[in-house]
Amino acid sequence: MQSYIDLLPPTAVSHSLSLPLLSASANNLIIAKTSLLQVFSFKSVLPVEGVKSEGGRKLSRGERAQTTKLVLIGQYELSGTIIGLGRVKTVQSKSGGEALLVALKDAKLSLVEWDPDRFTLSTISIHYFEREDLQGPPWAPDLGECANILTVDPGSRCAALKFGLRNIAILPFHQAGDDLIMDDYDPDVNMDELKASKMTTKLANGNLAASQTPYMASFVLSLLVLDPNLTHPVHISFLYGYREPTFGVLSSRTAISSALLHERQDTLSYTVYTLDLEQRASTTLLSISGFPYDIHKIIPLPLPVGGALLIGFNELIHVDQSGKTNGIAVNDFAKQYSSFALPQQTSSNLRLDRCVVEPLGATNGEMLLILSSGELAVLGFKRDGRSVSGLSLRLVSNLDGGITLPAVSSCVSNVGRGRIFVGSEEGDSMILGWSRKSSKPKNQSLLTKTQVEDQVGASDIGEEDELDDEDDLYAGSKPEATSATELPMDEPDQVDSYHFRIHDTLESMAPLKDVILVGQQNFQISIESLQNTDLMVTTGRGRAAALRKLNRTLTPSIVTKHDLSDSHGVWSIYVAKTPPNEGADDIEADGAEQYDNVLITTQFKDADDPQSSIHAMKSGILEEIQESDFDSVGATIDVGIFMGGTRIIQVLKSEIRTYDPDFGLAQIVAIADENVDTDQKIISTNFSEPYILIIRDDASIMILRLEETGDLEEISKTDSLQNTKWISGSLYDDINDIFHLEADDESQEETDNVLMFLLTGEGGLKVYRLSNLGNPVFTADGLSFLPPFLSSEFTVRRSTARDTLTDILIAELGDKSLRSINEDITIYQPFQCHAEGDSNTSLRFSKLPTSYMPQITPEDYVDGERTERKQPLRAIHDIGGYSAVFISGSLPSLILKSASTLPQVIGLGPTGIRSLSATHNQICQRGFIYSDDSGNVATAQLPDDDDYSTGWVTRRIYSGEDIQAFDYHAETDRYILGISHKVDFKLPEDETHYEWTAENTSLLPQIDQGTVKMFDPSTSSVTDLYTLEPMEVVMCVKTMNLETSEVNSRRRSLVAVGTALIRGEDLPSQGRIYIFDIIDVVPEPDQPETGRKLKLIAKEEVKGAVTALSEVGTEGFLLVAQGQKCMVRGLKEDGTLMPVAFMDMQCYVSVAKELKGTGLCVMGDVVKGIWFAGYTEEPYQLRLFSKSSQSIEVMTAEFLPYTDQLYIVVVDAASDLHILQFDPEHPKSLTGHLLLHHSTFNTGHFPSSTILLPRHLTPYERLTSHPSTPITLNVSSSSPLNGHAAHQILSASHTGTLSLLTPLSQSQYRILSALQSFLISTLPHHLGCNPRAYRHVDGGSGTINVGGGFGFGGNVGMGGRGVLDGNLLRRWGELGSWKRSEGVGRVGGEDGEVGIRGLISGVTGAGLGIS
């Protein structure tokens, strides 16, 4: 009984698409990250000087060019894997924009559109092609193992999904001109106008009913029905320029094999078919055979070029509509392995494998090629009229305005106006901007406006404009018009020079490889020490690879510390000096920068006698100001600055004081109401110049306005404002008219922009414009239900399950933040919706998903009762370029949001923070100042290298080289990195192979060469390295405590490295084992970090690659997976590795691990499955205990002890997670010879590594367990923590996800399983995906099933339980309060919703020991 959850979302971008989604005029980008779909828009900004660029470097004034940024509109977690995207222009859509067609694994299509009423994606239809009758013969591969391809007709008449071996599904779409009779077709009639007129007629007559779908019935064809020669299809794509849907197919009659090139070459054929959607038939238009075997993709080309571009590894070939071919060879191999006539561009010498191609949007049809090396190239077409007569390819060097991308690109999309999005699965994705400077003579004929815009990279021909001038096979010939878009192709000596630059970057963690926990070297570790650990991971490939540190909390960079004992409140402010020259030290010349120069604090030296004080801040030094009228008696609640720093507002409990810049008293305003007999106190305030909103303890409000004279005047309130009980309020200066609330026509002052948001005692929301308090401009009485979509019309019938809201804040994040009494943070985003039959818009709010789960601590309870939080939410402006919201409490946090991410709640550590305020001074620019639990005050900044886009704090420690494996050496605080880099390979001189000397290719193959490096994190430098032989690569690196002497059993912490010599398939594989010691040496002058070096003390060459290393037993031996054997070796004093025990595995070993200190070993191979063995030392032997009952292609495996049971968790190449158990007493295990297979769970992400971690009690578990003694985690005992699991498994994947598997008790599983079932039936599932079907895996016939129930793991038998989906459980907060109340009633539990939240927090990572 376990729960699986993704702690980090996938970050590898697999697909992208540009289309107008939100409206007909919108420009949106759709990005697919395996199971995550994101919708972006674009915004042009001028970067602020000093703010970090996309590379982490601060921008200078000269670099402040206009930059395009990605703005996240929506993000949707899917219960499916995206394999393709397409754009469809439907007859009618809710938003007026186009629809999005998404292909999901294995063979599903989902058609969605944008719903402006709910500001989210709306599913139109789901199409399922995974029926058994479409699977093919029994020996055919599964659908998931086939290359499934989605392509959409450019005219949006239909879409095609090639799935399985030879099946193609056709999904037709309705068009406005479907009922036109083609016999009456007049070529002189404008088709667009005719379609528009017919569409208007249909709408007027009501023919387009709401029930009418934009699609017609789909059908499936076999490619062999289209053409019996299509036995081995390679790629398929619809083409431009045809009146009927027409697609090209790249295929071969025989299987393609590079090993048989001496037998057969040029086996590919390119065939073009046109579809008759009504008859469900096709017609062959042209067929060309004899293409090179390595062509793998078809790129359809719009006008002015037309036709299709065929991409091969060594060549590029263009095929026009008449079948004429033109191509170019980019290296020497094209002519060696193909007889296809190709002119060679000798200057290229390129590799086109894994390249991506995208039109630049230029009028001459030039295309951008991004090579696997990261280099950019421009493909040009030489045209003779409308016919292509040649191709030219040229690299854009870095000296000529090009750039080299760090990672291999997976997709590319032209987003218009000289901007291209480049996605990657192996590194960061980015927005590239390009501009072009023509080298043509200036005295050429005058250019049109379109050409001028295009030459500066600012034009993009729309698809509709291109279709007007297209020439297809059916249309009659037209005289060529002298158009600016149909100029002849530039000659190669008159090319345009392109300049590229990076505009924006999407941070990526993919692929995640090795994972280690630094600060925890054994499992005998106390709970308290778990709080100081870091998670270290390796990410990326090639030059995009990096070593990163991951943390759950943000540790700020401390700039200064001040000993101000017992400080509970701090405010850093800017006070204008009089005269201005006196503040020269604090303000830059000419007022270029205004630095904070005054600090106001509240101190509680005596609980009954709080004091306030003011300090002058100069160069990081605080000097208390004694002579002033500042009221130091009593606690300051809040401080505000008005009138450019010339008026200071001090808020006390019973009054408000205003001061001049010299802190001379200007005014005292009493907040007591004359009509109220009791004393009134201020509990919170909110500022928005020139207004002050005051919330009093009797739930009344007071509104003050600062006049131009500097005096505060109270604004008279209406009866409704006076008689209503208010809980909280917030002011917002809506300068940019985000809320679009109508202003009072009689008063059009600048202050009309200030809006007042008030939270009523019943949990309703009322919004007033402060220039007119007569009537609210927006009312939402159902806010306390926290619905997914909030509007003024929202109501809930027959339900009283309201959340008790305590605070509301309108922040510069552009979102509305709410806090309930349970410390939940709910974030709403405003959007505008058009009402039916009305051109005006109405304001609505959409709840944003957040992974924040409040941690309930014992400090939150007094005498068993929940205490209310005293400090409200606080908006913090401009800290490190972010606008943030500070959440106070025992576990303080910051809400941070960048333009391209959702709001993330990041814990703030390492000590508790009582109060926080933004500060900006000369030594701490754009930082913050805070008081901690000890009462001291410190100024700090957000670290420059930290990234918060994933919800975790990530930092690059080392980057630029491909890290194959790594480990941490705790004794020396060094990281040992196994690095791999590419080198050219040339055949060596060999007497037996004299023909090798004739090798004369200029494009040499590349092989990997490994290096072992020692990295010092304190100086971020490599202090030593050991270079391996050519063709030798690092497979694994482990730090072990090995025995170095057989005499005295002395042990040392050594580094073991396993390598493999990759010499080709004709030679046997070999490997080596290296043992390094880290020794002290005399450092280089002024370089103390060089005082440690790697010393090789043992080197052993073995048969087969060394694929896994692990410490085993208690005597300091190591377990080595070498070739087809697993062997236990001991280090001798003479530097040799003595074998003491072995086991013949018969297959390549992919994983070998020991349950630390027990001698129990798990080993896995890629063919047979899992081997469970035990190592004994008297006598030395490695004995097999049990094996898996079915074949599993093991990628990684790990032990999972729970109570007195031992589980083995395996993840295979199909991304399926298997739960196995060793139980020799179970009858189905055959006395322990077979491992019991409990369940299988589809993770959706290809695995890379797993690690067993100790688990500590969550705050909720501490609250309910009340442990009386310190808890120690001990793997050998595997005892639970007061009934809770003692261990959990952290796994990494190639898509960038970091996942957690947590064992559950019977009671926990019962509650969470019932909750999961409730959420499946209640929550909306994006794109219509089925969570059960996504996680379910069909079991094989050889599986030994035990147990029975059905969680989400398929393959479960009687009495067992599947794995729960933590991603689904985490969405509990998306429900409204009435739905959560219903769920609590169905699920049950002793503690109600508090108990459910506590259980959810336990499976979402609250038990991780990561600071």
Side-chain angles (χ1 to χ4, degrees):
M1 299 175 290
Q2 298 83 19
S3 173
Y4 175 92
I5 189 172
D6 293 328
L7 299 179
L8 290 180
T11 55
V13 176
S14 56
H15 301 83
S16 64
L17 180 68
S18 176
L19 81 163
L21 180 68
L22 269 66
S23 65
S25 59
N27 183 19
N28 300 115
L29 176 69
I30 311 299
I31 292 178
K33 299 178 179 179
T34 312
S35 59
L36 187 69
L37 190 68
Q38 294 178 315
V39 180
F40 291 91
S41 63
F42 302 94
K43 183 178 182 180
S44 296
V45 297
L46 191 65
V48 179
E49 180 185 353
V51 175
K52 288 190 298 183
S53 67
E54 53 276 341
R57 179 176 50 83
K58 291 188 176 181
L59 296 173
S60 62
R61 291 188 179 183
E63 297 175 309
R64 294 177 58 200
Q66 195 173 45
T67 302
T68 298
K69 293 292 184 181
L70 287 169
V71 179
L72 182 65
I73 301 298
Q75 176 173 301
Y76 310 96
E77 294 184 8
L78 307 179
S79 296
T81 301
I82 299 174
I83 59 174
L85 299 174
R87 55 185 292 182
V88 178
K89 189 173 183 180
T90 57
V91 176
Q92 187 181 16
S93 65
K94 295 180 180 179
S95 65
E98 298 185 6
L100 174 66
L101 185 64
V102 182
L104 298 166
K105 186 180 179 180
D106 292 321
K108 293 183 283 290
L109 292 177
S110 183
L111 184 65
V112 296
E113 64 180 347
W114 187 257
D115 186 356
D117 293 341
R118 301 177 70 85
F119 203 72
T120 187
L121 290 176
S122 174
T123 304
I124 300 176
S125 61
I126 307 168
H127 307 270
Y128 183 83
F129 305 104
E130 299 175 5
R131 302 193 310 269
E132 292 185 1
D133 58 324
L134 300 176
Q135 299 294 319
W139 57 85
D142 294 336
L143 293 180
E145 299 176 1
C146 301
N148 299 338
I149 303 169
L150 174 66
T151 178
V152 181
D153 174 49
S156 297
R157 291 163 290 194
C158 67
L161 176 67
K162 181 264 171 186
F163 66 97
L165 286 179
R166 302 175 187 89
N167 289 331
I168 180 172
I170 306 297
L171 178 61
F173 299 105
H174 287 294
Q175 296 296 313
D178 281 347
D179 55 347
L180 290 178
I181 301 176
M182 298 308 298
D183 294 340
D184 298 333
Y185 172 69
D186 185 356
D188 297 330
V189 176
N190 189 311
M191 288 295 297
D192 289 339
E193 293 181 358
L194 183 60
K195 290 180 180 180
S197 63
K198 292 187 68 61
M199 183 67 191
T200 305
T201 304
K202 285 188 175 184
L203 291 175
N205 297 332
N207 294 335
L208 282 180
S211 60
Q212 182 173 346
T213 61
Y215 58 90
M216 293 180 281
S218 62
F219 56 93
V220 176
L221 298 175
S222 173
L223 290 177
L224 297 179
V225 175
L226 299 181
D227 191 338
N229 296 324
L230 301 179
T231 56
H232 295 82
V234 177
H235 198 255
I236 180 174
S237 180
F238 279 101
L239 304 177
Y240 290 90
Y242 294 89
R243 184 171 295 116
E244 296 294 332
T246 304
F247 61 91
V249 179
L250 192 66
S251 65
S252 174
R253 283 188 175 185
T254 58
I256 301 171
S257 173
S258 59
L260 299 176
L261 288 177
H262 63 283
E263 295 286 342
R264 54 176 184 257
Q265 295 182 356
D266 303 332
T267 57
L268 290 180
S269 299
Y270 174 70
T271 311
V272 177
Y273 302 92
T274 182
L275 279 176
D276 187 342
L277 298 178
E278 294 184 359
Q279 300 297 327
R280 299 186 177 184
S282 65
T283 303
T284 304
L285 297 184
L286 63 90
S287 180
I288 308 173
S289 60
F291 285 102
Y293 82 102
D294 59 347
I295 293 179
H296 58 279
K297 193 172 185 179
I298 304 172
I299 304 295
L301 301 178
L303 286 182
V305 178
L309 180 68
L310 308 184
I311 309 294
F313 294 150
N314 307 308
E315 63 279 320
L316 296 169
I317 300 176
H318 175 264
V319 183
D320 65 10
Q321 293 180 344
S322 62
K324 178 183 176 182
T325 61
N326 289 278
I328 183 174
V330 299
N331 55 47
D332 297 335
F333 292 105
K335 290 189 175 181
Q336 294 182 22
Y337 301 110
S338 174
S339 58
F340 194 88
L342 290 172
Q344 183 169 1
Q345 188 168 323
T346 57
S347 59
S348 298
N349 216 18
L350 305 177
R351 295 179 172 90
L352 297 184
D353 51 307
R354 303 183 69 185
C355 74
V356 292
V357 185
E358 183 70 11
L360 281 171
T363 56
N364 52 16
E366 288 185 330
M367 307 190 74
L368 175 67
L369 271 75
I370 304 178
L371 307 180
S372 59
S373 61
E375 297 175 291
L376 307 182
V378 176
L379 176 66
F381 300 89
K382 183 179 179 181
R383 290 189 293 130
D384 231 353
R386 293 194 175 189
S387 176
V388 175
S389 59
L391 280 70
S392 65
L393 184 66
R394 57 191 185 275
L395 282 175
V396 184
S397 66
N398 293 352
L399 297 177
D400 296 332
I403 57 177
T404 301
L405 303 183
V408 177
S409 302
S410 60
C411 57
V412 61
S413 298
N414 192 327
V415 297
R417 299 195 61 82
R419 306 293 185 263
I420 289 179
F421 173 78
V422 181
S424 176
E425 292 181 297
E426 300 182 1
D428 295 345
S429 303
M430 55 194 65
I431 291 286
L432 291 183
W434 61 271
S435 59
R436 187 175 64 174
K437 183 178 180 181
S438 178
S439 59
K440 294 180 181 180
K442 294 184 179 180
N443 57 355
Q444 59 180 323
S445 59
L446 295 178
L447 302 178
T448 65
K449 178 181 178 181
T450 304
Q451 286 178 296
V452 174
E453 291 178 348
D454 178 69
Q455 289 190 6
V456 298
S459 70
D460 185 22
I461 300 178
E463 183 177 304
E464 294 78 12
D465 297 332
E466 291 178 349
L467 291 176
D468 290 342
D469 296 327
E470 286 181 350
D471 183 18
D472 56 64
L473 295 179
Y474 297 97
S477 60
K478 299 180 183 179
E480 294 188 6
T482 306
S483 171
T485 63
E486 296 186 7
L487 293 178
M489 173 62 195
D490 299 334
E491 296 294 336
D493 58 347
Q494 290 185 339
V495 299
D496 297 336
S497 61
Y498 287 86
H499 177 77
F500 294 87
R501 70 183 180 96
I502 299 176
H503 285 246
D504 198 7
T505 300
L506 288 180
E507 191 82 7
S508 175
M509 299 281 290
L512 276 174
K513 300 178 184 176
D514 284 352
V515 179
I516 63 172
L517 198 61
V518 175
Q520 170 257 328
Q521 296 303 309
N522 55 66
F523 286 91
Q524 307 258 345
I525 183 168
S526 64
I527 292 297
E528 288 72 17
S529 61
L530 281 172
Q531 302 299 328
N532 300 317
T533 55
D534 299 323
L535 193 67
M536 304 299 301
V537 299
T538 52
T539 64
R541 288 196 181 99
R543 289 179 293 107
L547 174 66
R548 299 178 190 248
K549 181 175 73 172
L550 274 64
N551 295 99
R552 302 295 297 271
T553 59
L554 190 159
T555 302
S557 299
I558 304 299
V559 179
T560 61
K561 283 188 175 182
H562 309 281
D563 186 9
L564 299 177
S565 59
D566 301 317
S567 295
H568 280 67
V570 290
W571 294 268
S572 177
I573 60 175
Y574 161 73
V575 177
K577 299 297 183 180
T578 54
N581 291 334
E582 295 181 5
D585 293 337
D586 299 308
I587 306 174
E588 288 188 359
D590 301 327
E593 194 86 36
Q594 293 182 346
Y595 291 126
D596 293 352
N597 48 20
V598 173
L599 177 68
I600 300 178
T601 65
T602 294
Q603 298 167 304
F604 281 81
K605 296 181 180 179
D606 186 353
D608 298 328
D609 186 21
Q611 301 290 325
S612 299
S613 60
I614 55 176
H615 300 78
M617 294 192 300
K618 293 183 179 180
S619 302
I621 301 176
L622 296 182
E623 298 179 359
E624 186 173 358
I625 301 176
Q626 299 289 346
E627 298 180 358
S628 68
D629 295 336
F630 186 79
D631 188 359
S632 60
V633 178
T636 300
I637 295 177
D638 208 346
V639 175
I641 300 299
F642 284 20
M643 301 180 69
T646 60
R647 189 64 77 201
I648 301 98
I649 311 296
Q650 180 192 18
V651 181
L652 302 171
K653 284 188 176 181
S654 58
E655 63 185 18
I656 295 178
R657 296 190 170 212
T658 64
Y659 303 93
D660 58 24
D662 295 324
F663 284 93
L665 182 61
Q667 186 183 7
I668 298 178
V669 179
I671 60 98
D673 193 341
E674 298 178 354
N675 301 324
V676 178
D677 297 334
T678 60
D679 294 335
Q680 295 175 312
K681 304 294 183 183
I682 299 176
I683 59 174
S684 66
T685 57
N686 203 268
F687 302 103
S688 180
E689 193 168 359
Y691 295 102
I692 304 175
L693 174 63
I694 301 169
I695 306 295
R696 294 181 286 216
D697 57 356
D698 61 349
S700 63
I701 65 170
M702 182 179 186
I703 308 171
L704 301 176
R705 172 175 175 147
L706 188 68
E707 303 294 339
E708 295 181 358
T709 59
D711 294 334
L712 288 174
E713 296 292 341
E714 183 178 1
I715 298 178
S716 59
K717 304 183 294 293
T718 61
D719 293 340
S720 61
L721 285 174
Q722 286 182 337
N723 299 330
T724 306
K725 299 295 182 181
W726 307 105
I727 299 175
S728 178
S730 179
L731 300 180
Y732 181 75
D733 193 0
D734 193 12
I735 299 177
N736 298 320
D737 197 19
I738 296 176
F739 293 96
H740 294 283
L741 295 174
E742 296 182 0
D744 184 10
D745 297 335
E746 298 179 359
S747 176
Q748 295 294 337
E749 303 177 6
E750 294 183 359
T751 55
D752 288 345
N753 296 321
V754 180
L755 301 175
M756 179 173 62
F757 293 75
L758 294 176
L759 191 62
T760 66
E762 295 78 17
L765 173 67
K766 292 185 180 295
V767 183
Y768 292 86
R769 190 173 294 277
L770 288 181
S771 59
N772 181 9
L773 296 176
N775 295 306
V777 293
F778 179 81
T779 301
D781 295 330
L783 177 62
S784 60
F785 291 103
L786 298 181
F789 298 94
L790 178 66
S791 65
S792 57
E793 298 85 11
F794 174 80
T795 56
V796 175
R797 298 180 181 178
R798 293 180 299 217
S799 178
T800 58
R802 296 175 177 262
D803 275 334
T804 304
L805 306 181
T806 60
D807 204 0
I808 184 174
L809 177 67
I810 311 300
E812 284 297 330
L813 299 173
D815 309 315
K816 179 176 66 174
S817 300
L818 297 170
R819 182 164 64 180
S820 69
I821 194 171
N822 292 325
E823 295 308 319
D824 286 340
I825 300 297
T826 304
I827 303 175
Y828 280 94
Q829 179 182 7
F831 69 95
Q832 300 296 322
C833 173
H834 286 274
E836 294 185 8
D838 191 355
S839 60
N840 297 326
T841 60
S842 60
L843 176 63
R844 294 186 180 183
F845 293 90
S846 173
K847 184 193 291 188
L848 297 181
T850 176
S851 59
Y852 174 73
M853 186 68 63
Q855 301 299 320
I856 306 170
T857 63
E859 291 79 6
D860 295 327
Y861 282 80
V862 175
D863 296 331
E865 296 294 332
R866 183 67 181 270
T867 59
E868 293 187 8
R869 200 62 58 92
K870 296 181 180 179
Q871 296 186 8
L873 298 171
R874 181 182 294 274
I876 309 295
H877 301 286
D878 195 8
I879 54 171
Y882 289 93
S883 292
V885 173
F886 172 64
I887 307 172
S888 62
S890 57
L891 299 173
S893 305
L894 285 176
I895 302 178
L896 299 174
K897 182 183 183 302
S898 62
S900 58
T901 64
L902 290 173
Q904 305 291 348
V905 183
I906 308 292
L908 195 58
T911 60
I913 295 178
R914 295 174 175 174
S915 177
L916 185 143
S917 172
T919 187
H920 179 58
N921 53 59
Q922 288 178 327
I923 64 173
C924 184
Q925 297 190 9
R926 295 182 176 88
F928 55 93
I929 187 168
Y930 67 90
S931 61
D932 55 25
D933 284 341
S934 60
N936 295 323
V937 174
T939 60
Q941 293 175 314
L942 297 181
D944 291 337
D945 300 328
D946 286 358
D947 179 78
Y948 317 103
S949 58
T950 61
W952 286 47
V953 182
T954 63
R955 177 183 297 182
R956 294 175 188 253
I957 304 298
Y958 179 82
S959 61
E961 293 182 300
D962 197 352
I963 305 174
Q964 298 294 329
F966 85 111
D967 206 348
Y968 177 69
H969 195 268
E971 292 184 3
T972 59
D973 189 27
R974 296 290 192 273
Y975 290 98
I976 310 301
L977 310 178
I979 304 295
S980 176
H981 59 277
K982 297 290 185 180
V983 295
D984 290 335
F985 174 75
K986 192 169 185 179
L987 293 173
E989 296 182 2
D990 194 322
E991 295 179 356
T992 60
H993 296 85
Y994 60 89
E995 69 276 5
W996 288 1
T997 59
E999 183 184 26
N1000 59 358
T1001 178
S1002 59
L1003 188 65
L1004 294 174
Q1006 291 188 320
I1007 59 174
D1008 291 312
Q1009 182 173 3
T1011 305
V1012 180
K1013 293 187 176 183
M1014 184 169 62
F1015 176 72
D1016 182 9
S1018 61
T1019 59
S1020 300
S1021 61
V1022 175
T1023 58
D1024 195 17
L1025 60 87
Y1026 182 88
T1027 303
L1028 304 178
E1029 294 184 6
M1031 296 181 290
E1032 186 177 10
V1033 296
V1034 177
M1035 302 294 291
C1036 48
V1037 176
K1038 292 294 180 183
T1039 300
M1040 304 180 186
N1041 189 21
L1042 299 181
E1043 182 181 281
T1044 59
S1045 175
E1046 298 176 273
V1047 179
N1048 53 18
S1049 300
R1050 184 178 56 188
R1051 303 177 70 168
R1052 288 179 59 89
S1053 180
L1054 304 176
V1055 178
V1057 178
T1059 67
L1061 275 77
I1062 304 175
R1063 301 180 298 176
E1065 59 188 15
D1066 57 335
L1067 296 175
S1069 61
Q1070 289 184 343
R1072 293 192 179 103
I1073 306 170
Y1074 296 85
I1075 304 296
F1076 294 96
D1077 191 7
I1078 300 179
I1079 61 174
D1080 295 331
V1081 297
V1082 178
E1084 298 290 337
D1086 300 326
Q1087 295 180 356
E1089 68 274 7
T1090 60
R1092 299 183 188 275
K1093 295 291 183 180
L1094 290 171
K1095 179 184 178 181
L1096 180 64
I1097 61 176
K1099 177 181 178 181
E1100 189 83 14
E1101 187 166 336
V1102 298
K1103 293 182 179 180
V1106 179
T1107 56
L1109 294 170
S1110 175
E1111 191 175 348
V1112 65
T1114 59
E1115 295 184 354
F1117 291 170
L1118 72 154
L1119 176 66
V1120 183
Q1122 52 184 72
Q1124 298 178 359
K1125 290 182 175 63
C1126 281
M1127 190 170 293
V1128 178
R1129 292 177 175 267
L1131 180 62
K1132 299 176 65 177
E1133 292 182 345
D1134 59 357
T1136 60
L1137 293 171
M1138 178 181 63
V1140 298
F1142 78 97
M1143 178 181 291
D1144 192 355
M1145 300 289 295
Q1146 305 172 3
C1147 299
Y1148 170 87
V1149 179
S1150 56
V1151 60
K1153 295 181 179 180
E1154 185 218 20
L1155 186 60
K1156 193 173 183 66
T1158 64
L1160 299 176
C1161 301
V1162 59
M1163 294 161 284
D1165 58 65
V1166 296
V1167 177
K1168 293 191 175 182
I1170 282 293
W1171 306 57
F1172 175 53
Y1175 167 71
T1176 60
E1177 297 167 346
E1178 293 182 3
Y1180 293 119
Q1181 65 175 351
L1182 196 58
R1183 180 182 176 186
L1184 177 64
F1185 289 158
S1186 186
K1187 297 174 61 176
S1188 57
S1189 58
Q1190 65 174 343
S1191 297
I1192 302 176
E1193 192 174 354
V1194 179
M1195 293 291 103
T1196 182
E1198 189 60 82
F1199 285 105
L1200 183 60
Y1202 178 67
T1203 62
D1204 57 348
Q1205 301 171 345
L1206 181 60
Y1207 295 93
I1208 298 176
V1209 178
V1210 184
V1211 190
D1212 62 17
S1215 305
D1216 296 334
L1217 184 144
H1218 304 262
I1219 306 295
L1220 309 177
Q1221 183 187 6
F1222 176 68
D1223 185 3
E1225 297 180 358
H1226 197 284
K1228 289 189 176 182
S1229 69
L1230 303 181
T1231 66
H1233 286 79
L1234 294 179
L1235 294 172
L1236 303 177
H1237 198 147
H1238 275 270
S1239 62
T1240 308
F1241 181 88
N1242 178 35
T1243 66
H1245 307 285
F1246 190 82
S1248 57
S1249 63
T1250 55
I1251 180 175
L1252 180 66
L1253 296 180
R1255 183 181 184 274
H1256 70 95
L1257 291 176
T1258 66
Y1260 173 76
E1261 292 168 352
R1262 286 179 177 271
L1263 184 65
T1264 55
S1265 299
H1266 301 293
S1268 58
T1269 58
I1271 300 169
T1272 299
L1273 306 182
N1274 191 327
V1275 131
S1276 59
S1277 65
S1278 67
S1279 59
L1281 304 179
N1282 296 335
H1284 301 282
H1287 309 96
Q1288 50 195 352
I1289 291 179
L1290 198 65
S1291 63
S1293 74
H1294 284 244
T1295 59
T1297 60
L1298 194 66
S1299 306
L1300 187 67
L1301 186 71
T1302 305
L1304 300 173
S1305 64
Q1306 290 276 357
S1307 59
Q1308 292 172 338
Y1309 185 91
R1310 183 175 59 256
I1311 295 175
L1312 292 179
S1313 179
L1315 177 63
Q1316 176 178 269
S1317 300
F1318 173 76
L1319 292 176
I1320 289 176
S1321 60
T1322 305
L1323 285 171
H1325 304 294
H1326 305 296
L1327 275 65
C1329 298
N1330 186 346
R1332 290 187 180 273
Y1334 175 56
R1335 298 301 190 184
H1336 178 71
V1337 179
D1338 292 329
S1341 58
T1343 304
I1344 302 298
N1345 295 323
V1346 298
F1350 185 80
F1352 265 173
N1355 207 16
V1356 290
M1358 300 181 41
R1361 309 214 172 152
V1363 180
L1364 298 180
D1365 189 354
N1367 293 339
L1368 192 64
L1369 298 175
R1370 184 170 50 192
R1371 297 180 61 187
W1372 169 259
E1374 297 182 18
L1375 298 177
S1377 62
W1378 74 99
K1379 285 293 183 181
R1380 295 201 306 272
S1381 176
E1382 180 183 349
V1384 171
R1386 292 188 183 182
V1387 172
E1390 296 180 358
D1391 298 329
E1393 186 175 358
V1394 175
I1396 290 178
R1397 291 182 179 275
L1399 293 178
I1400 294 176
S1401 67
V1403 301
T1404 55
L1408 269 177
I1410 301 174
S1411 58

